[in-house]
Amino acid sequence: MTERIVDSVAAEARLWSEDLGTLAEQSRRALLEIVRGPYLSGQRRPVLWAALIADEHAIRSRLHDLFLDLVIDRVDEFAFARKVRTTEIDAPSPMRTESLNFLDTAMLLVLRQLLLASPGESRVIVGQDEVYERLMVYRTGDEKTFRGNLNGAWGRMANRFRVIHVVEEDRAEISPVLKFILDHDRVRALTEQFQNLAEGATSAAPSEGEQ
């Protein structure tokens, strides 16, 4: 009897003739979105979010098969996968890592600071110039080239890492997922490094009146 019930459930979930999956279509799409990364947003993908919440246990189980854990923020409505954190086994790292250049990392830190500086806000929207101004301390070379590099980093924040969502030509909403992308220890270490770099750049610059 149990086998018949399982077969019946599998048949209902089947999407093509040789399909062995048991999740409903939207739950599979939600799982795929999470595995692809960087995260699933409930505000932007409400159908997939509803499927994730409805099938959370099954989706979490399939991620565990890949040594991945499911992180869900039900308040801001986003979810993402990360490597299982455990001391019981030596879990492999199944996730593809993204390489960050200097400005990418600095911009992530600035955006995270701006996000955390607005607790309780349902949406945190910042101007491009506001972010750029905070990064000008790291400028090397001429301003035009540096601004071009900033534009490249801003584009990667929106399109590759999806930590900002453009709302106007020069304004963007910061995704709350940024609170979780970098853990506290990593943020502290990076902040100290960037502060040292900024202080070094300031001290190296000629003072007023010097040529």
Side-chain angles (χ1 to χ4, degrees), residues 160-198:
R160 185 191 299 180
F161 305 119
R162 290 167 49 199
V163 295
I164 59 172
H165 305 291
V166 177
V167 294
E168 295 176 10
E169 183 178 356
D170 58 352
R171 294 178 63 77
E173 178 182 353
I174 305 176
S175 170
V177 77
L178 247 181
K179 292 182 291 185
F180 297 89
I181 286 181
L182 298 172
D183 60 45
H184 178 73
D185 291 339
R186 181 62 172 159
V187 168
R188 183 174 58 185
L190 286 171
T191 300
E192 290 177 356
Q193 292 176 20
F194 278 96
Q195 285 176 343
N196 291 336
L197 287 170

Side-chain angles (χ1 to χ4, degrees), residues 4-193:
R4 290 180 181 177
I5 294 175
V6 172
D7 290 342
S8 177
V9 171
E12 291 179 3
R14 189 175 297 152
L15 301 180
W16 61 93
S17 59
E18 298 179 356
D19 181 15
L20 299 179
T22 57
L23 287 176
E25 180 178 356
Q26 295 305 322
S27 296
R28 299 187 198 198
R29 293 183 183 275
L31 174 60
L32 181 60
E33 185 84 359
I34 289 172
V35 172
R36 279 178 174 172
Y39 63 94
L40 169 61
S41 168
Q43 295 180 2
R44 297 181 179 277
R45 305 297 296 272
V47 174
L48 298 188
W49 178 259
L52 169 67
I53 298 305
D55 270 343
E56 177 185 343
H57 180 79
I59 291 174
R60 191 179 295 275
S61 173
R62 281 158 176 73
L63 287 172
H64 284 175
D65 286 337
L66 300 174
F67 299 98
L68 293 172
D69 198 10
L70 176 64
V71 180
I72 298 179
D73 185 314
R74 299 177 190 276
V75 176
D76 292 316
E77 293 191 347
F78 64 83
F80 62 94
R82 67 184 177 196
K83 176 184 174 181
V84 169
R85 297 177 178 178
T86 178
T87 58
E88 299 175 62
I89 64 169
D90 182 17
S93 180
M95 301 293 289
R96 182 187 67 180
T97 57
E98 291 279 3
S99 59
L100 298 173
N101 64 30
F102 177 85
L103 275 182
D104 288 342
T105 306
M107 190 172 288
L108 276 175
L109 288 176
V110 168
L111 290 170
R112 187 178 186 275
Q113 290 168 355
L114 292 170
L115 178 67
L116 296 179
S118 303
E121 295 290 335
S122 59
R123 301 178 68 194
V124 178
I125 297 175
V126 296
Q128 191 181 61
D129 287 341
E130 179 183 2
V131 175
Y132 286 15
E133 183 178 352
R134 290 174 179 243
L135 294 168
M136 278 296 175
V137 68
Y138 305 115
R139 191 188 103 185
T140 57
D142 65 276
E143 183 174 348
K144 181 178 180 181
T145 299
F146 187 70
R147 190 171 183 87
N149 292 335
L150 288 173
N151 289 337
W154 181 266
R156 288 188 291 276
M157 295 300 112
N159 302 318
R160 185 191 299 180
F161 305 119
R162 290 167 49 199
V163 295
I164 59 172
H165 305 291
V166 177
V167 294
E168 295 176 10
E169 183 178 356
D170 58 352
R171 294 178 63 77
E173 178 182 353
I174 305 176
S175 170
V177 77
L178 247 181
K179 292 182 291 185
F180 297 89
I181 286 181
L182 298 172
D183 60 45
H184 178 73
D185 291 339
R186 181 62 172 159
V187 168
R188 183 174 58 185
L190 286 171
T191 300
E192 290 177 356
Q193 292 176 20

